[in-house]
Amino acid sequence: MTATGASEGVGARGAPVSNGPWWWARRRSAVLDVLLAVASALECVVEGANFAHEAQVPELLGMLLGLLAGPVLLVRRRWPVVVVLVSIAVMPAEMGGLLSVVGLYTLAASDVPRRITGLLAGMTVVGTLVTTFLTLREDVATQQDFHPPMWFVPLMALAVGLVLTAPPVLWGLYIAARRRLVESLRERADGLERELSLLADRAEERAEWARNEERTRIAREMHDVVAHRVSLMVVHAAALQAVALKDPEKASKNAGLVGDMGRQALTELREMLGVLRTADGASGRGTAASGAPERLAAVASRAGAKATVQARVPEPSADGTSAVSSSAGASVAGAESSVPGAGDADAEGPCLTELADLVGQSRAAGMVVELLVDESAEGEAAAVAGRRYAARVERTVYRVVQEALTNVHKHAPGARARVRLAHRDGELAVQVENGPCEGGAADAGLPSGGNGLVGMRERVTALGGVFVSGPTEAGGFRVSAVLPLGAVSHVAG
């Protein structure tokens, strides 16, 4: 803090700045103190010479005393208490007026404890009062024609003492208070800046996390919708190759199925890539494209649902292994009306009513699949009332069954599969189990990226469910998922 109250040693951001010599933070502060010290030294030298003349001592001694006391202002920023003590010490010699005023101001504006400041200010008032009282009384005594009242000299001495002491102390206290206020405001601004920076970093982290989540969701949707379709195409193509010469009619039927599925896959890919291309163009023009991932996921779900409806095939005749129980028909072929809020992306996509079609597609590819539905009392009441579960729950169950059947096509060609759906109190359970691969079945040669089980687990755990997968003792594989029914929608039956 300078003598004028300007903040020193602090940069624009609160960083310490020290480009002055010794204890001065700035060169201009050093120049100011040097000028004050020179002025104080000249004053003390002159007043010391006068005091020596009146005291009848060598003037050189008084001038030497003033020359030693005046330059003390050079250390006023480092040791303000020393400056005030020196000014009090030279008061009997009637010197050091500037030294006293500047010293008191610097002391009051410094970080010295207030009790020390008050003590030294009181000592200065007393010293000034006594010195002024003695000087005035001597002057009044020398004037024969001036006879003031008794209270005149003490009153004038008190006034002079307060005038020379109170203003610099009060001004110094004001400057100190203003300095503390400025420092507190600066600290608060720095704290707010750090907090804003932290919030910006956290916002960036959340945005990056959201982007990663959306990428994962898009990849999962594309894998579930497109990979399943392409896998069935490969299976049908393998069957077509096997029966091309033996059964031309069946080969023609399989060729038609392959063509239909290929066109459906191309349509789905075209819609998804169209959304991505639109998002890229919007981002290139500087337009906000934050909704592109949600749109892409919605298109994927919508395309999957449309493709499932278009690919419905007639149920083969019941032979004991591929028949669907009557309870399955009652539950799976439930109400077709949409859940309230179906305009959202979460409300779009396949549901439980389309499981029979999904199983039918696998049967059309040559797999022996059995669909069983276990109804509890709550499940039967739900079927009667026309109730559907939350859209995300139904879509997750559908995707688990879809991916599990795709894995059977890939890794266990010719194996029998069983899909079980159980309606329980407060939860919905699904299990897909297949037996060992038939020895005579031809391998379709489908590649595997290892993301199917990971995607199923992510879907189930995202809804708070439990997912378990692993081989069976009979040499097959089992996938199980249990989903809590936190949200249930009622639809008019």
Side-chain angles (χ1 to χ4, degrees):
M1 180 67 68
T2 64
T4 59
S7 179
E8 287 188 346
V10 179
R13 293 290 182 182
V17 176
S18 180
N19 54 5
W22 295 346
W23 53 81
W24 288 286
R26 302 177 186 271
R27 290 189 177 89
R28 65 182 183 183
S29 301
V31 172
L32 176 62
D33 287 354
V34 169
L35 293 177
L36 290 174
V38 170
S40 178
L42 293 176
E43 178 196 9
C44 291
V45 167
V46 173
E47 292 177 347
N50 294 334
F51 174 75
H53 178 72
E54 294 176 1
Q56 298 180 356
V57 295
E59 293 184 0
L60 184 61
L61 184 60
M63 295 174 63
L64 182 60
L65 178 61
L67 191 61
L68 293 176
V72 176
L73 283 179
L74 288 173
V75 298
R76 70 184 185 94
R77 300 176 189 270
R78 188 69 177 271
W79 298 295
V81 176
V82 173
V83 176
V84 176
L85 290 177
V86 171
S87 68
I88 295 174
V90 298
M91 277 184 183
E94 299 180 358
M95 68 171 68
L98 180 62
L99 180 66
S100 177
V101 171
V102 176
L104 286 175
Y105 163 78
T106 305
L107 178 67
S110 66
D111 295 329
V112 177
R114 290 291 169 255
R115 61 178 183 275
I116 298 179
T117 301
L119 176 62
L120 294 178
M123 293 172 60
T124 303
V125 171
V126 173
T128 305
L129 177 62
V130 172
T131 303
T132 305
F133 178 80
L134 295 177
T135 302
L136 287 176
R137 190 177 65 175
E138 183 178 354
D139 292 342
V140 170
T142 56
Q143 297 181 6
Q144 300 296 330
D145 55 348
F146 182 66
H147 301 285
M150 296 292 297
W151 51 265
F152 176 77
V153 175
L155 182 61
M156 290 300 298
L158 179 62
V160 172
L162 292 178
V163 168
L164 294 179
T165 305
V169 172
L170 294 177
W171 182 251
L173 293 175
Y174 165 75
I175 293 300
R178 191 182 71 171
R179 179 189 62 186
R180 289 191 294 269
L181 177 61
V182 171
E183 290 178 352
S184 65
L185 292 177
R186 181 182 294 111
E187 291 177 357
R188 183 179 300 178
D190 292 341
L192 290 177
E193 185 176 359
R194 289 191 297 270
E195 184 176 355
L196 288 176
S197 177
L198 182 60
L199 290 177
D201 294 340
R202 291 181 177 176
E204 182 63 25
E205 292 176 359
R206 288 195 295 269
E208 183 64 26
W209 176 83
R211 285 193 292 268
N212 293 334
E213 287 293 318
E214 291 302 334
R215 291 192 191 100
T216 304
R217 188 168 70 148
I218 292 171
R220 190 164 54 236
E221 291 290 343
M222 294 184 69
H223 176 272
D224 290 341
V225 174
V226 180
H228 178 72
R229 197 74 56 211
V230 174
S231 299
L232 291 180
M233 289 174 56
V234 175
V235 172
H236 281 293
L240 175 63
Q241 184 179 9
V243 301
L245 298 178
K246 299 179 181 180
D247 192 349
E249 182 179 356
K250 187 174 183 181
S252 176
K253 179 180 178 182
N254 287 340
L257 290 175
V258 171
D260 292 340
M261 292 182 181
R263 284 187 289 271
Q264 293 167 9
L266 286 177
T267 302
E268 296 164 9
L269 283 175
R270 189 178 295 112
E271 292 185 4
M272 294 179 186
L273 295 178
V275 173
L276 287 176
R277 188 177 296 110
T278 303
D280 292 340
S283 61
R285 295 189 300 270
T287 308
S290 59
E294 289 81 358
R295 292 173 56 198
L296 185 57
V299 167
S301 298
R302 191 164 55 248
K306 182 174 67 176
T308 301
V309 173
Q310 293 176 353
R312 290 180 178 175
V313 296
E315 288 279 339
S317 59
D319 57 2
T321 58
S322 61
V324 181
S325 64
S326 60
S327 61
S331 175
V332 177
E336 293 286 345
S337 57
S338 60
V339 184
D344 302 330
D346 284 345
E348 298 177 351
C351 56
L352 295 182
T353 59
E354 300 171 10
L355 280 180
D357 298 319
L358 180 64
V359 171
Q361 294 176 26
S362 295
R363 290 200 188 105
M367 181 189 297
V368 179
V369 189
E370 182 181 4
L371 176 62
L372 300 175
V373 178
D374 297 336
E375 293 284 1
S376 65
E378 181 184 359
E380 294 175 357
V384 173
R387 183 179 66 181
R388 280 180 51 184
Y389 302 111
R392 296 183 64 187
V393 174
E394 295 197 6
R395 186 169 67 246
T396 299
V397 172
Y398 182 92
R399 295 303 188 195
V400 169
V401 175
Q402 182 186 52
E403 182 60 30
L405 293 179
T406 302
N407 288 340
V408 176
H409 284 293
K410 288 182 180 180
H411 308 293
R416 295 174 177 269
R418 177 185 293 110
V419 179
R420 296 187 59 183
L421 185 66
H423 301 270
R424 302 172 183 171
D425 295 339
E427 63 184 16
L428 182 62
V430 61
Q431 181 184 90
V432 180
E433 180 179 354
N434 63 273
C437 177
E438 294 291 339
D443 190 357
L446 291 169
S448 177
N451 297 319
L453 293 178
V454 175
M456 286 190 282
R457 185 180 303 275
E458 289 176 352
R459 285 183 178 274
V460 174
T461 55
L463 299 181
V466 179
F467 179 83
V468 179
S469 63
T472 62
E473 296 180 356
F477 200 83
R478 180 187 298 116
V479 172
S480 302
V482 179
L483 297 171
L485 302 179
V488 178
S489 301
H490 294 270
V491 184

